[in-house]
Amino acid sequence: MTKIIAFDLDNTLLNTKKEVTPETLRVLKEAAELGIEIVPVTGRIWDSVPEAVKSMDFVRYAVTLNGAEVVDVKNAKTIAEALLPVERAVTMCRVFDDLGVVYDCIAGGTRFMKRECWNKIETIAEGEWQIKIIRGSSVPVDDIPEAIAGTKGVQKMQMYTLDSELRAKLLEALPVVLPKMLFTSSVSNNIEVNAPEANKGDGLRMLAEYLGLPVRSAMAFGDGLNDLSMIRAAGIGVAMGNACKELLEIADHVTSDCDHDGVAEGIKTFCRGID
């Protein structure tokens, strides 16, 4: 029996207009009323999660930053975290500087971005929604290594490029030359860097353990490469109709796309008593 419903946000719960539809909201609320934990699992910082999600009063827990942090959002309490050591993040800064790409670094819940990168956000963004998120949540600094020097570790780094060939080459090459880091992607223009232990699957496992539940009691929805570990970990792994081919190949079930209430459809398919 499903005890946890976990879902990615962008292009999964949220449609391409970055909205939660009334039908999806209705089905999530119905599931919550049956005692199922409703859990956003995202690469975002909790502060940059859309208000449409944060305002769901039945959401108590979230897995953020690709699993780098598991939080009790009602009590602003960190349940578990997996951080990238500062020295490894500094190495990554040098790699990104050499490539001349736009990137940021999240530590202590703050997104730091080199000032020159901050001024070029429009040149790498997928759209206005991404410009708004990055510019609204990032702090421009002259030197990222200096900014993160006093922190206990880095939650996530992120590189942006609209050059799909460069992105594909880096996703293949970086894990080979830097094996102590985890490289993945959530949208078409980014590469995300976390500690190896920071992935959505392990984040979901840690939350399930905290709740005293088996992770196989979870149903998970996703669309991107950074959702693979979560789809594998859950008892029922559901790929959105708009998911990447890697996710479509390993999912237990494929639902409709994010513009046709795929999350709501999947819940109604597998959860008795919800229609």
Side-chain angles (χ1 to χ4, degrees), residues 11 39 42 45 59 61 92 102 172 226:
N11 300 317
V39 182
T42 178
I45 312 170
V59 170
Y61 303 100
M92 203 68 250
V102 173
E172 184 175 343
N226 66 339

Side-chain angles (χ1 to χ4, degrees), residues 129-145:
W129 69 271
Q130 198 174 44
I131 295 171
K132 183 178 179 181
I133 289 173
I134 298 173
R135 187 150 280 155
S137 65
S138 60
V139 176
V141 296
D142 293 321
D143 186 82
I144 288 181

Side-chain angles (χ1 to χ4, degrees), residues 8-46:
D8 173 53
L9 295 184
D10 296 300
N11 300 317
T12 297
L13 180 77
L14 303 175
N15 61 21
T16 50
K17 294 180 180 179
K18 303 301 173 184
E19 301 168 333
V20 180
T21 67
E23 170 64 4
T24 295
L25 182 60
R26 180 191 71 79
V27 170
L28 288 175
K29 185 175 181 180
E30 207 169 311
E33 288 170 352
L34 292 176
I36 300 173
E37 292 290 348
I38 307 300
V39 182
V41 182
T42 178
R44 298 194 194 202
I45 312 170
W46 180 251

Side-chain angles (χ1 to χ4, degrees), residues 11-13 221-223 238-244 247-248 253-259 261-263:
N11 300 317
T12 297
L13 180 77
F221 295 82
D223 74 291
V238 183
M240 303 300 291
N242 54 281
C244 64
L247 207 66
L248 291 169
H253 179 74
V254 178
T255 188
S256 294
D257 64 36
C258 64
D259 284 326
D261 292 310
V263 170

Side-chain angles (χ1 to χ4, degrees), residues 5-154:
I5 294 174
F7 45 80
D8 173 53
L9 295 184
D10 296 300
N11 300 317
T12 297
L13 180 77
L14 303 175
N15 61 21
T16 50
K17 294 180 180 179
K18 303 301 173 184
E19 301 168 333
V20 180
T21 67
E23 170 64 4
T24 295
L25 182 60
R26 180 191 71 79
V27 170
L28 288 175
K29 185 175 181 180
E30 207 169 311
E33 288 170 352
L34 292 176
I36 300 173
E37 292 290 348
I38 307 300
V39 182
V41 182
T42 178
R44 298 194 194 202
I45 312 170
W46 180 251
D47 286 349
S48 69
V49 168
E51 192 58 38
V53 178
K54 289 197 288 188
S55 64
M56 294 176 182
D57 58 8
F58 48 80
V59 170
R60 174 161 184 182
Y61 303 100
V63 177
T64 62
L65 295 158
N66 286 338
E69 189 171 44
V70 181
V71 290
D72 176 341
V73 297
K74 294 293 187 186
N75 297 305
K77 172 187 173 184
T78 298
I79 294 169
E81 60 184 354
L83 303 178
L84 190 67
V86 171
E87 60 271 19
R88 290 188 199 163
V90 170
T91 297
M92 203 68 250
C93 287
R94 296 192 185 108
V95 171
F96 287 157
D97 283 337
D98 288 343
L99 289 169
V101 295
V102 173
Y103 69 96
D104 58 33
C105 181
I106 301 170
T110 300
R111 185 198 301 263
F112 298 103
M113 181 174 271
K114 285 179 69 173
R115 204 172 305 278
E116 62 192 73
C117 291
W118 198 85
N119 290 331
K120 295 192 293 186
I121 291 171
E122 286 83 358
T123 67
I124 53 80
E126 272 197 329
E128 285 296 323
W129 69 271
Q130 198 174 44
I131 295 171
K132 183 178 179 181
I133 289 173
I134 298 173
R135 187 150 280 155
S137 65
S138 60
V139 176
V141 296
D142 293 321
D143 186 82
I144 288 181
E146 183 179 315
I148 65 175
T151 66
K152 61 180 180 178
V154 166

